[in-house]
Amino acid sequence: MTQSFVLRWGIISTGRIASCFVTDALVDPKTRDVTDVVHKITAVGSRSVESAQKFIAEFAKGDQSIKAYGSYAGVFADPNVDAVYIGTPHTFHYENALDAIKAKKHVLCEKPVTLNAAELRSLLAAAKEHGVFFMEALWTRFQPLTLEVKKLAESGVLGAPMALQADLSADFGLDKIPKTHRILDPALGGGALLDLGPYPLIWAILALYEHPSNQGAAPSNITGTMLKTPLTGVDRSTSFTVTFAERGVAAQANLSCNLNVNTYQTGVVIRYEKGTIAIQEPIYCPKSFTVQYLQGDKVTKEETRRFEYVGSGWHFQADEVARCVRDGKSESLLWGHDKSLLEMEIFDEVRRQGGYKFPPGLEKVV
Ligand SMILES: NC(=O)c1ccc[n+]([C@@H]2O[C@H](COP(=O)([O-])OP(=O)(O)OC[C@H]3O[C@@H](n4cnc5c(N)ncnc54)[C@H](OP(=O)(O)O)[C@@H]3O)[C@@H](O)[C@H]2O)c1
């Protein structure tokens, strides 16, 4: 029997999402029928060593072999780390990822990968120069439900995509949280678009941009409008449209995200010539979708598919990183550099139209 490839991870930051990632990475891969790769956490870096130690005790079963560092630099310099997972607030992604890349570590960086497209272009150039793998942690793209939706959508049975609606909203209780919370604070890149926007967008990218008949064409039009909260001026509600009409796809995505209401049960609706795919919330990690087959306006068949697995869904992206690193790839075919770049270019344009400027100096590359 061939041996599993072991990827040795260094974790940067000890916040909420880093704990989710580590918990899932340590789930036995065999529970999801994965035998070719396995994950080992070898280092955790935090701004305080106590926090790194506490994190290891709580989320890595107190594994004494994991090194706790009171800085991120310690993890970058650790020879037992192959890949770095970055779970800091958006505004630090650029500098943390650049430091990791310069230390010749492969990188998985939380969404949104950077504050703007210029920062991302600079990181991609650095990753190329240093010969390392780089990926945005758009975990939804690697989940089994998403892979199944893609297969169905591209099988041809539903015909061409025509229209897509997707929303991700969450009531953050804005009046009750401190203005320094990362969702509200402009100095931490706060607002709905950067935090929630990647999820409605990923479905538009999957169904329209990735559709074979689109042949990789960029959107022909992007519009965006923002409603700002008077609390700090970041976007409380953002709606944006992304239109594809350059090649074989002629379809529009209507996307939205809000910080003051909860999401509706059906988060994504993709309408095709001969049917509809409706994906249940939460759209970052849905567990079921329903497909209706249509003849004219008559529903001829309806099926619901449900997906279950051990863990919460963050491990599938970790498996993808491990396979790519094992195979010497610089990017993933599923969520490659072009898609992160498209995401950041769309966000730049929506922020431009919505009049959302970051505080001076926040963007490291413009
Ligand atoms: N994939 C997903 O489902 C998902 C979900 C939520 C968030 N995210 C993304 O993950 C990132 C972090 O979100 P989170 O909810 O995990 O945030 P969080 O709980 O506030 O954790 C962020 C961590 O970053 C570190 N950090 C470094 N400098 C900081 C600063 N000046 N202020 C605050 N924290 C600082 C801290 O760790 P140390 O003290 O240990 O250094 C902190 O615990 C964001 O970019 C967000 O968009 C992704």
Side-chain angles (χ1 to χ4, degrees):
M1 200 173 107
T2 34
Q3 281 227 311
S4 307
F5 174 80
V6 181
L7 187 64
R8 300 173 306 168
W9 290 92
I11 308 297
I12 293 304
S13 84
T14 55
R16 190 187 146 258
I17 195 62
S19 71
C20 298
F21 177 77
V22 166
T23 304
D24 267 9
L26 294 176
V27 168
D28 183 350
K30 292 196 196 81
T31 61
R32 53 184 183 277
D33 294 329
V34 168
T35 53
D36 60 331
V37 293
V38 69
H39 308 283
K40 187 167 169 46
I41 312 296
T42 49
V44 173
S46 168
R47 291 170 300 169
S48 94
V49 73
E50 292 78 18
S51 179
Q53 287 160 343
K54 189 162 167 277
F55 183 92
I56 293 166
E58 262 182 66
F59 303 108
K61 302 165 191 151
D63 183 344
Q64 298 285 325
S65 71
I66 304 175
K67 189 102 178 91
Y69 291 100
S71 72
Y72 301 159
V75 174
F76 302 145
D78 190 326
N80 293 316
V81 168
D82 306 312
V84 170
Y85 165 81
I86 295 168
T88 51
H90 325 331
T91 42
F92 302 101
H93 291 175
Y94 177 75
E95 61 194 74
N96 295 157
L98 190 60
D99 287 347
I101 289 168
K102 283 182 176 167
K104 299 216 180 296
K105 304 298 184 193
H106 306 290
V107 171
L108 176 65
C109 181
E110 264 310 330
K111 45 59 57 178
V113 64
T114 48
L115 287 180
N116 64 26
E119 285 188 351
L120 178 57
R121 278 192 206 97
S122 160
L123 283 184
L124 295 179
K128 193 171 178 195
E129 183 192 337
H130 292 277
V132 295
F133 173 85
F134 180 87
M135 191 174 93
E136 180 181 22
L138 237 305
W139 58 310
T140 314
R141 183 61 185 84
F142 309 96
Q143 295 161 8
L145 177 145
T146 312
L147 303 183
E148 199 55 38
V149 167
K150 182 170 164 76
K151 203 157 52 166
L152 175 67
E154 294 181 6
S155 69
V157 290
L158 298 171
M162 308 300 283
L164 182 148
Q165 274 100 28
D167 173 79
L168 180 64
S169 296
D171 185 356
F172 280 80
L174 296 181
D175 292 330
K176 295 174 203 77
I177 58 175
K179 289 182 184 158
T180 50
H181 188 290
R182 69 169 187 82
I183 207 75
L184 266 182
D185 191 350
L188 290 174
L193 181 69
L194 263 69
D195 196 70
L196 303 177
Y199 294 108
L201 183 58
I202 189 195
W203 291 104
I205 290 179
L206 180 105
L208 307 183
Y209 174 75
E210 289 187 23
H211 196 278
S213 63
N214 186 52
Q215 299 167 55
S220 53
N221 188 262
I222 297 157
T223 68
T225 177
M226 289 179 152
L227 177 66
K228 318 270 177 45
T229 166
L231 292 167
T232 58
V234 303
D235 61 311
R236 190 204 76 186
S237 300
T238 290
S239 296
F240 54 120
T241 65
V242 186
T243 302
F244 289 85
E246 293 295 322
R247 305 222 173 104
V249 167
Q252 204 164 52
N254 280 282
L255 311 172
S256 58
C257 41
N258 299 274
L259 298 179
N260 65 334
V261 285
N262 283 320
T263 223
Y264 189 65
Q265 294 126 340
T266 305
V268 183
V269 178
I270 318 171
R271 286 181 283 163
Y272 292 83
E273 285 172 309
K274 294 185 275 182
T276 305
I277 297 175
I279 299 168
Q280 298 308 304
E281 61 91 24
I283 67 167
Y284 45 78
C285 187
K287 289 293 176 56
S288 74
F289 74 87
T290 299
V291 54
Q292 286 188 337
Y293 297 86
L294 300 171
Q295 236 165 35
D297 57 3
K298 206 167 137 238
V299 177
T300 54
K301 192 167 107 178
E302 179 173 305
E303 283 170 346
T304 295
R305 296 279 320 269
R306 291 178 214 288
F307 295 77
E308 294 301 334
Y309 39 81
V310 179
S312 301
W314 279 278
H315 31 28
F316 300 108
Q317 62 180 348
D319 295 342
E320 174 72 1
V321 176
R323 290 184 182 122
C324 289
V325 168
R326 177 195 64 192
D327 299 343
K329 293 184 179 162
S330 58
E331 63 180 308
S332 160
L333 278 178
L334 304 188
W335 191 256
H337 297 166
D338 62 322
K339 293 177 204 168
S340 289
L341 206 45
L342 177 60
E343 172 196 4
M344 295 321 300
E345 283 166 350
I346 291 171
F347 287 179
D348 284 358
E349 179 58 18
V350 173
R351 279 194 305 105
R352 191 189 67 74
Q353 292 185 29
Y356 179 177
K357 287 198 172 92
F358 295 121
L362 205 63
E363 294 155 286
K364 304 297 178 304
V365 189
V366 286

